[in-house]
Amino acid sequence: MNGLRVIPTWQAGRERLYVRHPDGRNLAWYDREAARVNLLRQDHEEDVLQALGPYLTGPVSVGPPPVPTPAELARLSLHPDDDLAPNRPGEALLIALDRDPGPARLLRPDRRRRALTAEQTVGEALDRMDGAGWRTLHSVPLPGGDRIHHLLIGPGGLYAVHSRYAHKQRVTVTDPHVTLGRRRPEPLLRLVRACADRACHALTAEVRPVLVLAGASRVDVAATPREVRVLTDADVPGLARQGGVLKPADVEALYAMARDRNTWTRV
């Protein structure tokens, strides 16, 4: 068989390589850490192993996957173009920079690259919470060109997380404005709330807004903002300590709904 594609994905720092048929069906996945190739179609074993050949790093076991969880069944039922789970932190920015890298030399740093650094920093911190029962989706597209940078789902509920680059800057928060260093204030908290509200509408569940200031040297908050939590990237692991809101089955059900691109087309 020709035309099989190998698609790398990452979850909580763990890599899986999916082997897909030209029509978009998943045929198998290779779990590097477990050194196992999980076959969904036994009759394609030879073709799958041939496609994975350049990626295999040693002896591997080959066989059918373990009994899938409901979330895995949901993933396998989605067309690859509709599944948001493989999105990397800053996925939309990575695609934009790949299409238009910009001039080789700039007098000022490209703001897109700074924004990407923030989303990657925060996204990696969120992905590390996977072992504590949390799920994260990155770069969730919304109609009109907006995005939810990160959607966090877990025992403590749902959070729409917005990342902002603030490396070594003093940040002042005066609801709804956020001032980074000597820049002009911007009503950033309105955007953060709006994205959370749209997520509430799409998922029919409470979604709390979070602003994460990546690399900020100091954050001064004049008064506690309405509804929005303001954190630095160092504070992100503290979200994992929240609990008592969702059961594991609820987390998986909401994650399965959120990862489907079609969930977000009318919000």
Side-chain angles (χ1 to χ4, degrees):
M1 179 186 298
N2 296 320
L4 296 188
R5 293 188 301 157
V6 178
I7 309 295
T9 65
W10 290 84
Q11 284 290 327
R14 184 166 181 168
E15 184 181 23
R16 280 186 176 183
L17 299 175
Y18 285 89
V19 180
R20 289 178 180 163
H21 191 276
D23 66 8
R25 289 178 297 144
N26 288 305
L27 299 180
W29 75 85
Y30 170 41
D31 187 329
R32 286 186 188 274
E33 187 171 320
R36 179 176 177 82
V37 176
N38 296 281
L39 291 171
L40 298 172
R41 293 286 303 270
Q42 296 289 333
D43 52 331
H44 290 306
E45 178 177 347
E46 183 177 345
D47 296 318
V48 165
L49 292 177
Q50 183 177 359
L52 285 172
Y55 305 93
L56 301 178
T57 55
V60 297
S61 59
V62 181
V67 177
T69 66
E72 288 171 330
L73 287 172
R75 171 183 54 75
L76 294 173
S77 69
L78 286 176
H79 188 278
D81 291 342
D82 293 329
D83 190 358
L84 300 177
N87 281 7
R88 299 159 293 178
E91 182 75 25
L93 290 169
L94 286 165
I95 293 173
L97 286 165
D98 183 61
R99 291 175 177 171
D100 178 19
R105 295 183 179 180
L106 294 172
L107 294 177
R108 295 183 178 181
D110 190 329
R111 290 186 177 182
R112 296 176 301 170
R113 296 192 182 278
R114 289 186 169 185
L116 176 60
T117 297
E119 290 191 42
Q120 289 177 330
T121 298
V122 175
E124 290 168 4
L126 292 170
D127 282 342
R128 287 193 289 269
M129 296 166 57
D130 185 76
W134 292 81
R135 296 283 198 167
T136 307
L137 292 169
H138 304 288
S139 208
V140 177
L142 299 174
D146 291 330
R147 290 183 298 119
I148 297 173
H149 291 179
H150 320 278
L151 182 69
L152 179 66
I153 307 171
L158 293 87
Y159 297 90
V161 181
H162 189 91
S163 307
R164 179 54 62 98
Y165 183 87
H167 184 62
K168 294 184 179 180
Q169 296 183 70
R170 177 177 176 177
V171 183
T172 303
V173 180
T174 306
D175 195 0
H177 293 92
V178 175
T179 306
L180 283 77
R182 298 180 179 179
R183 296 182 186 176
R184 297 180 61 181
E186 57 179 317
L188 183 57
L189 297 190
R190 289 178 185 165
L191 172 63
V192 178
R193 291 190 188 100
C195 287
D197 288 343
R198 295 174 78 176
C200 287
H201 179 74
L203 301 173
T204 62
E206 181 183 8
V207 180
R208 285 170 278 186
V210 178
L211 172 63
V212 180
L213 301 161
S217 61
R218 176 176 172 179
V219 179
D220 295 324
V221 181
T224 303
R226 178 177 57 85
E227 299 175 346
V228 182
R229 297 186 64 171
V230 179
L231 310 173
T232 67
D233 53 294
D235 301 323
V236 167
L239 290 173
R241 293 193 287 270
Q242 308 297 315
V245 177
L246 295 176
K247 298 178 180 178
D250 297 326
V251 171
E252 295 301 324
L254 285 165
Y255 178 69
M257 181 187 301
R259 70 189 299 176
D260 185 351
R261 185 183 299 273
N262 297 301
T263 298
W264 306 96
T265 57
R266 296 182 180 180
V267 297

